[in-house]
Amino acid sequence: MYHAEITGWGMCVPPARLTNHDLATFLDTSDEWIVSRSGIRERRVSHVNFSELGLVSARRALAAADVDPADLDLIMLASLTNDSYCPNTASIIQDELGAPRAGALDINTACTGFLYGMHLCRGLIATGQHKKILLIGGEFITHYLNWSQRSSAILFGDACGAVVLEPSEKPVGLLASRIGCEADAKEAIQITNFGSAYERLTDDFLYVKWNFDGREVFKRAVKSMAQACVDVLDEAGVDISEVAVVVPHQANKRILDALAARIGVPEEKVIINVDRYGNTSAGTIPVALVEALEEGRIKPGDYVLSAAFGGGLTWAAGLFRWGDRVTPLKTSDAELPPCDKTALELLAPHIKRYQEYAEREKATEIREQSC
Ligand code: ACO
């Protein structure tokens, strides 16, 4: 049986920054409200398709591992905002990278996608079925937000990260993992008109609505992630005090604080970047992992604990043991094309569309009330 070692890592965030002050120019909100309720100060808005964020992340991860794309035997991509469903986005990346031997698989469990992917890849490498896997997690979510709904629009951003996994005989990589889903509460995070259900074929066609119960998600997120962390630590026989770094899903700073308190980890061990990127769904964990490595916060042999929750309501946790190498073998010169627009300019068509729709709805409501 092999262990799935992370031998390469890379990330890509688009350059255009959308600050809380930018949001307050068209939503009834404020920097003070957003920072105090979520810890978010700014997020990124992509000027390119999601597959381009994935490609740059992938090229950087492959260089860090010094793996030739032609040697990959699987590309797994976790996202809910793919370029297209047919061809799937992993196929687009397989072709662009030049990885013709690789299977190409998209998975979607929303914010838990990267950890669900790690859980699957660990099994595929353990059995010897795959030897070089590229796992990508990320999102192109700002272009799908409902820009008239202040409660959800302020929370999300675009970003992507990737890792290369290879077999090792040493006990490194993902030592223990758990995945699950509290489907009884699946309505707590719903993005309507964003799938093939009959409901989509109504007069609200293409008008995406983010219906979620923030408080319910908050409570369940802390509880389910904490329990999953306890379970993976138990399975691996590792005490929480031995964990060097926690890399949690970044949805809200207050959730991270509550999780750390519940599992008994001091704040300085928790990687936090939600202030700079917001919730990038399947992108949060690989991006936070790459930043932790680049900042020297993960050392050879460290235990790294990770947990996530998201739409479904899915949850996941994983305990990693880092290998000997915390620096890349090579670097890639892959870059996104330059962006000549501000984040507000990139989003302007969506904001206009949602504002016009909201005004029409309000006018109809007033007409109906006066009848
Ligand atoms: N600016 C100003 N006021 C706002 C905003 C805003 N952006 N959004 C909501 N408010 C108002 C509300 O209307 C409400 O006003 P009211 O009391 O007059 O009705 C008030 O602020 C309080 O709203 P709450 O929703 O109770 O605020 P809360 O403190 O719970 O924070 C938040 C909301 C940030 C969403 C929090 O609940 C949270 O982070 N929840 C979990 C995160 C989450 O749901 N993520 C979705 C994951 S999506 C996925 O996985 C794909």
Side-chain angles (χ1 to χ4, degrees), residues 29 33 37 111 150-151 156 189 212 214-215 217 252 254 310-311:
T29 190
W33 193 96
R37 301 296 175 110
C111 301
R150 64 177 182 176
S151 53
F156 296 92
I189 302 178
F212 63 76
R215 287 186 185 188
V217 175
N252 182 323
R254 285 159 55 217

Side-chain angles (χ1 to χ4, degrees), residues 18-20 22-35 37-38 40 43 144-156 207-212 214-215 251-252 351 354-355 358:
L18 185 73
T19 65
N20 293 344
D22 290 330
L23 290 171
T25 62
F26 65 94
L27 284 175
D28 181 15
T29 190
S30 66
D31 178 56
E32 195 273 327
W33 193 96
I34 300 171
V35 173
R37 301 296 175 110
S38 71
I40 301 167
R43 66 289 289 146
Y144 290 99
L145 291 171
N146 181 320
W147 289 105
S148 60
Q149 286 187 299
R150 64 177 182 176
S151 53
S152 50
I154 57 149
L155 295 175
F156 296 92
Y207 181 81
V208 177
K209 278 186 196 153
W210 289 68
N211 297 328
F212 63 76
R215 287 186 185 188
N252 182 323
I351 295 170
Y354 279 109
Q355 281 177 340

Side-chain angles (χ1 to χ4, degrees), residues 233 238-247 265-271 292 296-306 319-322:
L233 288 165
V238 172
D239 189 80
I240 188 70
S241 61
E242 297 175 75
V243 170
V245 176
V246 180
V247 183
V265 166
E267 194 182 342
E268 58 273 16
K269 285 191 178 180
V270 183
I271 305 295
R297 294 183 66 179
I298 297 176
K299 308 267 184 307
D302 271 355
Y303 286 115
V304 178
L305 181 62
S306 186
L319 180 72
F320 298 80
R321 178 145 217 198
W322 210 262

Side-chain angles (χ1 to χ4, degrees), residues 139-341:
E139 225 70 67
F140 172 88
I141 207 161
T142 58
H143 297 268
Y144 290 99
L145 291 171
N146 181 320
W147 289 105
S148 60
Q149 286 187 299
R150 64 177 182 176
S151 53
S152 50
I154 57 149
L155 295 175
F156 296 92
D158 302 332
C160 190
V163 294
V164 174
L165 300 163
E166 296 180 83
S168 169
E169 288 181 0
K170 295 186 195 157
V172 292
L174 187 58
L175 301 184
S177 60
R178 284 275 194 287
I179 58 170
C181 180
E182 296 181 9
D184 59 310
K186 58 188 175 306
E187 279 79 21
I189 302 178
Q190 272 187 311
I191 313 174
T192 61
N193 289 347
F194 192 52
S196 66
Y198 268 106
E199 290 78 0
R200 186 169 188 266
L201 308 174
T202 66
D203 53 356
D204 277 350
F205 188 58
L206 283 184
Y207 181 81
V208 177
K209 278 186 196 153
W210 289 68
N211 297 328
F212 63 76
D213 182 343
R215 287 186 185 188
E216 182 68 9
V217 175
F218 197 114
K219 277 188 282 177
R220 285 183 180 256
V222 176
K223 206 166 147 217
S224 60
M225 286 196 291
Q227 187 57 51
C229 285
V230 169
D231 289 347
V232 293
L233 288 165
D234 278 355
E235 185 186 325
V238 172
D239 189 80
I240 188 70
S241 61
E242 297 175 75
V243 170
V245 176
V246 180
V247 183
H249 172 51
Q250 314 276 318
N252 182 323
K253 169 78 166 53
R254 285 159 55 217
I255 293 179
L256 302 186
D257 294 344
L259 174 68
R262 197 149 173 154
I263 60 175
V265 166
E267 194 182 342
E268 58 273 16
K269 285 191 178 180
V270 183
I271 305 295
I272 295 173
N273 62 16
V274 68
D275 51 326
R276 288 178 287 126
Y277 304 129
N279 181 350
T280 63
S281 182
T284 61
I285 290 176
V287 168
L289 187 66
V290 173
E291 289 198 332
L293 284 156
E294 288 176 349
E295 290 163 12
R297 294 183 66 179
I298 297 176
K299 308 267 184 307
D302 271 355
Y303 286 115
V304 178
L305 181 62
S306 186
F309 72 96
L313 299 176
T314 54
W315 54 261
L319 180 72
F320 298 80
R321 178 145 217 198
W322 210 262
D324 295 334
R325 189 166 54 78
V326 289
T327 50
L329 287 174
K330 289 187 176 165
T331 53
S332 161
D333 56 7
E335 292 289 348
L336 292 178
C339 174
D340 59 2
K341 289 196 167 97

